[in-house]
Structure formats: structure tokens, C-alpha cells
Amino acid sequence: MAVLEPTQEDKQRQEELSKEFLAIKDELRRTKRQLAMVMDLNKCIGCQLCSMACKNTWTKKEGREYMWWNTVNTMPGKGTPKDFEKSGGGYKVLFEGRVREPIRGKLPTRKEFGDLWTFNHDEILNTKWGQVTLSAKNSDGTTPEWSMNWDEDQGAVGINYPNSFFFYLPRICNHCTYPPCIDACPRHAIYKREEDGIVLIDQDRCKGYRFCLEACPYKKIYFNFEKLTSQKCIFCYPRIEKGVANACVRQCTGRVRFVDYLDNEQGPIYQLVKKWKVALPLFPKFGTEPNVYYVPPLAPPRLDDTGKIDTSKPRIPLRYLVDLFGPEVEQSLKLLQQEMQRTRDGEKSELMEILIAKRWEKMFGPFNKDPMNSMYT
Ligand code: SF4
Ligand code: SF4
């Protein structure tokens, strides 16, 4: 059977449709302001209270049980889902940001995220002591091979001894300025809120195609196997709307997390990202312009072969941090060291005052209301 060639009219209609499609995508990512978060990696102790605060608030039922919208992984490590940074997605940025060419990504499996495990508690309780040991099973009966923070603190083992190192990397959805998840959704179910740039998935429009999971280079979207929709961090928008900081921010033991609008010049985010330029996005090479920024980790000095302090090179290889945070990391680390020295010398450092955060309210911009008074009354 002969294949019909598209007519001139067909081609014109196709062109019009693709222009319409792109115009809708532009509309879905247009915002007036942008909320952002800064996480100071020099203060994170990996306690996972942020993860638990998020789980208790958002992901403990209705098919979300296996999800961790907030993860904290040890670096170096493979992360959650396993090897997410090598799973593709994001954009190739061309012509100084004027063109963003999407990169096809991989769809992570449920096991790579870490399934919802069940334990053999009954078997242990009903068997003679010592005969059965505690074990876990995935939902399909197989043995777990990965989960959130599976390789906790393993990154340092055996590498570069005695100059081993590790640090914790907390991650949420980055509420990107150019979110490839929005571009990938044929249903236009994902959008940025105009008032604050929070990226949300409309649960009524989502049909569970999971193109967004492939497109997100940070792999921060989960599939709800009960509801058959994609779900992810919502930046605690119901709290934000009441002037209350995100659950992970408010709960953080280490005073690691700052939250505010990016354009609030008096606020901590503007100061750390725009003024001091000390907080940097994770994997800027993905081309999405994330709105979660990190103060990069410093480390104790290196030791030489004789065990003496060697200041000629940093303990954490610079090339590793450049891969994570881009080339600006070198200047950021220099500045941190310089300002730390300033305080050691007895001088005042505006940057250190912000990072130490003696008054926690100053970390949350306008979102410093008490949840007990504002959320439940
Ligand atoms: S981190 Fe992923 S899910 Fe979140 S906005 Fe960016 S691309 Fe979308
Ligand atoms: S609560 Fe704070 S200190 Fe604890 S793991 Fe989360 S970000 Fe790190």
C-alpha cells in the first residue's frame, strides 16, 4: 500500500501545532517570583530528620509509602535512585541558554529507588531463638538490593586512606527554572506556580505516562503504583501559603536549610546565592537552573605520607566538587576559607554570621510563623 506523503497543508498544521505546544510549555514555566532553598553542606550531620519530617507530613500513605521526597545520601555514593546522576535527562544548553535541547533519560525502576520492604517479624517471633535472622523483602518477594541511603558512609571506605572523606547531600525536587519534567509531559499536567515558582503535578491531569521521570535528570519524581500518577516534593506549599517554612527546613537539626524568595535582597538566599555567590546549584551541567543551592563542603587538611599536615592540596579533590557544583566551586571554597580565617583573627564576617545562623528565624525569610499556631488553628 502506498504511503501518503503529508501535503503542504498538513505540514503547515503540524508546524502550527508544535508552536502552540511550545507556547503552552512557556506559559507553564512562567513565574513572577521564585522560591529557593540553600543547604549548607558543612553543617549537615546526616541525621535524616528532614527525611522523616517529610515522610510524616506527605508520604506515609496512599501508595506513597515507598517514596522519599527528601533524601540524604552519603557522598561519594550512588544516591537515590541508584546512580541517578548517570540516568540522563535534562538539557544540552546551546547558544548561551537561548536553546535547550532535551536529553533522553532513563526511567528508574522501583528497586533502584528502594521498594517498600516487609520484614519477617512473625517468622522470628514464632521460631526458636537463633534459628531465623531478620530479613527484608521487596513487594514482589525478592531481596532488596538498594534503598534510600543504602551505601551510608561507605563512600569513604578504603578510598584515599588516610585522606578519606565523605559528606552528606540532602536532596529535594529543585523546582527548576527550566524544568524538563514540564517539557516532557504531553498532558501539560506539570506547571510552575506563577506566584512562587513551585513545580507541581496536577493529579487530575496526570495519566501516569512517566515521561517526566525520564526527563528529570535529578530523578526526583516517583510513580504512585496505587493511584497511577507521578508524584514529588511540593515544596510544602500549604505551609508556605501560611507563612510556615517547609517541614524539612523547620525540622533540620543542623540549621542547614535556608528558605526565601530569590529576589528578596535582605533575605538569606539572595545574600548567599547572588551577593556572596557562595551557594551553588547541584549539577549545573544538566541545564535546568535548579532553585536549590548548596554551600560546598570543606574538609580537614590532608595528611602526607609521614602523617604530617599537607596544605598543598585539598582533602576532597577539587575535580570531584567541580563535577558536582560546577567550576565556581573553587572560588566559593576560597571565600569560605578566607571568611573563616577572618573570624579566627577576631574580625567580624557578615558571611559567617549568615551561615552560623545564631537566630534561626533569620534563615526562613518571611516563612517564620510557628506551625502550631498557623497550620492547625
Ligand atoms: S528537579 Fe526534576 S522534578 Fe523537580 S522541577 Fe527539576 S526536573 Fe522537574
Ligand atoms: S535534618 Fe538537617 S542535618 Fe539532619 S540530615 Fe537533614 S539536612 Fe542534614
Side-chain angles (χ1 to χ4, degrees):
M1 199 172 65
V3 180
L4 284 180
E5 285 293 319
T7 63
Q8 198 52 34
E9 213 175 302
D10 290 339
K11 282 187 192 158
Q12 200 178 331
R13 183 66 194 130
Q14 254 172 19
E15 211 168 292
E16 278 167 17
L17 282 173
S18 83
K19 274 190 191 145
E20 253 173 57
F21 186 81
L22 290 177
I24 295 172
K25 295 297 176 192
D26 275 349
E27 201 51 48
L28 290 171
R29 65 169 171 242
R30 188 159 297 141
T31 61
K32 291 198 177 114
R33 295 189 87 184
Q34 180 64 56
L35 277 169
M37 201 181 278
V38 166
M39 305 197 199
D40 182 353
L41 298 185
N42 292 299
K43 294 203 283 179
C44 179
I45 54 170
C47 66
Q48 304 282 2
L49 269 181
C50 47
S51 308
M52 294 317 295
C54 179
K55 173 136 292 290
N56 279 318
T57 314
W58 301 117
T59 64
K60 62 180 180 192
K61 53 186 183 183
E62 296 171 337
R64 296 195 290 260
E65 296 85 343
Y66 89 101
M67 301 180 191
W68 293 95
W69 290 354
N70 181 100
T71 49
V72 186
N73 282 100
T74 313
M75 300 297 282
K78 291 181 190 296
T80 313
K82 189 178 184 183
D83 280 329
F84 77 93
E85 57 181 90
K86 297 182 193 142
S87 303
Y91 300 104
K92 188 171 173 191
V93 181
L94 304 163
F95 309 114
E96 294 171 350
R98 288 192 303 273
V99 174
R100 278 166 213 271
E101 211 173 78
I103 298 170
R104 187 87 199 261
K106 173 181 167 264
L107 182 67
T109 63
R110 184 164 171 164
K111 282 186 197 163
E112 282 167 336
F113 277 108
D115 205 345
L116 178 65
W117 301 348
T118 48
F119 290 89
N120 58 341
H121 294 134
D122 285 346
E123 201 186 354
I124 289 181
L125 288 174
N126 297 320
T127 316
K128 207 170 150 201
W129 186 83
Q131 284 184 342
V132 182
T133 49
L134 185 68
S135 65
K137 288 269 178 278
N138 287 319
S139 54
D140 64 0
T142 55
T143 305
E145 286 166 17
W146 200 253
S147 74
M148 208 279 257
N149 221 12
W150 180 273
D151 56 353
E152 176 161 355
D153 301 351
Q154 303 270 313
V157 177
I159 302 176
N160 299 340
Y161 180 82
N163 290 308
S164 311
F165 69 91
F166 73 82
F167 57 92
Y168 297 106
L169 182 70
R171 295 197 306 123
I172 59 170
C173 161
N174 293 298
H175 300 273
C176 306
T177 299
Y178 294 96
C181 54
I182 289 185
D183 281 354
C185 178
R187 295 271 308 156
H188 304 318
I190 312 182
Y191 62 100
K192 273 178 92 64
R193 298 210 312 181
E194 202 185 11
E195 63 271 37
D196 52 23
I198 294 177
V199 174
L200 295 177
I201 304 176
D202 182 333
Q203 293 295 294
D204 293 327
R205 290 195 68 82
C206 177
K207 290 282 177 233
Y209 301 149
R210 286 171 270 181
F211 296 131
C212 54
L213 269 90
E214 289 177 2
C216 171
Y218 298 93
K219 303 296 173 231
K220 264 294 163 197
I221 303 182
Y222 287 78
F223 187 63
N224 187 318
F225 290 89
E226 274 180 33
K227 306 266 176 202
L228 304 182
T229 55
S230 298
Q231 297 180 335
K232 64 165 200 72
C233 157
I234 55 174
F235 210 80
C236 285
Y237 75 84
R239 295 170 65 103
I240 290 289
E241 283 170 4
K242 299 213 166 187
V244 176
N246 322 53
C248 59
V249 168
R250 181 90 201 185
Q251 204 67 31
C252 176
T253 346
R255 298 197 180 178
V256 167
R257 297 175 182 232
F258 299 79
V259 64
D260 197 355
Y261 292 100
L262 200 49
D263 62 0
N264 177 8
E265 293 191 13
Q266 307 314 315
I269 303 283
Y270 183 92
Q271 300 277 321
L272 294 169
V273 175
K274 302 277 185 193
K275 183 180 167 191
W276 289 95
K277 297 184 172 45
V278 79
L280 306 167
L282 177 67
F283 295 125
K285 63 186 177 191
F286 291 158
T288 69
E289 294 192 13
N291 286 301
V292 174
Y293 298 84
Y294 296 90
V295 178
L298 293 158
R302 279 176 62 82
L303 300 178
D304 68 15
D305 294 343
T306 63
K308 292 213 178 76
I309 287 180
D310 167 15
T311 53
S312 64
K313 280 193 273 181
R315 177 175 287 240
I316 306 180
L318 187 61
R319 66 177 186 285
Y320 178 61
L321 294 178
V322 168
D323 185 47
L324 292 177
F325 304 110
E328 286 81 10
V329 76
E330 189 172 6
Q331 179 53 27
S332 167
L333 290 168
K334 262 192 205 146
L335 187 62
L336 284 169
Q337 264 152 349
Q338 181 189 305
E339 292 299 307
M340 275 165 60
Q341 191 56 47
R342 190 191 285 274
T343 53
R344 284 192 195 113
D345 294 344
E347 290 175 45
K348 252 191 167 318
S349 159
E350 192 191 318
L351 175 60
M352 287 299 128
E353 289 289 310
I354 301 171
L355 289 173
I356 291 168
K358 287 189 190 125
R359 289 185 58 83
W360 62 266
E361 299 96 324
K362 293 214 164 161
M363 301 177 74
F364 302 167
F367 308 107
N368 56 17
K369 293 218 176 89
D370 186 338
M372 286 313 285
N373 298 332
S374 307
M375 297 295 296
Y376 308 108
T377 49

